Structure formats: C-alpha cells, structure tokens
Amino acid sequence: MGREITEEKLLKYFKITEEALNRLEIAVHEKSLLMKVAEDFLTMARSYFEDARYYYERGDYVTAFAALNYAHGFIDAGVRLGVFRGEDDRLFAFG
C-alpha cells in the first residue's frame, strides 16, 4: 500500500503537471522586477518536467516521480508568490 510508484500513478501526475504548465499564466507585468522570477520558475518547472519524461522513458519511475514533484513545486511556489496565476485548485495548490 503506497510503497511503490506505479506507472498508473506516474501517468496521473504527468497529466496533472502538463495541464498545469499549459494553463499557467504569468501574472506580473513584463517590466516588473518579478518578471525574472516568473521566467526562472517557469524554466525550472519545464526543465524538471522534461527530466521526468527522460527518466520515465528509461524506466526509472522513482527519479521521474521526483522530477515531477520538483516541477510542480516550482509551479505552486510561483502561484503562491503571485508571479503565476493559477485558479484551478485541482492543478495549483494555492490557486
């Protein structure tokens, strides 16, 4: 019970994180000092998401799951900080 990362669970989190990335909106003005933060957080979220795909394709579900959690952590941190707009509490922890 809950001691392994199944492919079903991993695919569920891939879907949620991918949808969050696709629906994410930057909430700060382009001239805001926080725009760099928003861009950095988005880059990190996308990079970790791609890392998750890389590890998933190689069968390393543990590392893929960890990378997905980092990706979604950057998304949620950006929403919490206010640099991203995330209204859907199914996708964003602080929406």
Side-chain angles (χ1 to χ4, degrees):
M1 175 178 133
R3 298 194 77 181
E4 66 180 58
I5 299 166
T6 64
E7 185 169 23
E8 178 183 12
K9 182 179 282 191
L10 192 54
L11 292 175
K12 171 187 170 184
Y13 285 101
F14 265 111
K15 182 179 177 184
I16 290 169
T17 303
E18 184 170 33
E19 188 177 348
L21 281 169
N22 289 333
R23 293 188 49 196
L24 196 64
E25 295 177 30
I26 293 180
V28 295
H29 189 274
E30 65 185 31
K31 293 184 180 183
S32 168
L33 294 175
L34 289 174
M35 183 55 136
K36 179 73 172 133
V37 173
E39 291 170 344
D40 286 348
F41 276 34
L42 188 53
T43 296
M44 293 302 291
R46 288 178 176 157
S47 295
Y48 275 112
F49 185 77
E50 291 305 316
D51 289 350
R53 281 189 185 159
Y54 172 87
Y55 289 109
Y56 171 72
E57 290 169 0
R58 281 148 187 77
D60 184 350
Y61 288 9
V62 172
T63 306
F65 191 68
L68 277 175
N69 280 280
Y70 271 97
H72 218 105
F74 273 100
I75 293 167
D76 287 339
V79 172
R80 178 70 172 184
L81 185 60
V83 299
F84 298 148
R85 189 171 298 108
E87 304 297 327
D88 186 339
D89 63 2
R90 185 180 56 84
L91 300 175
F92 308 104
F94 302 105

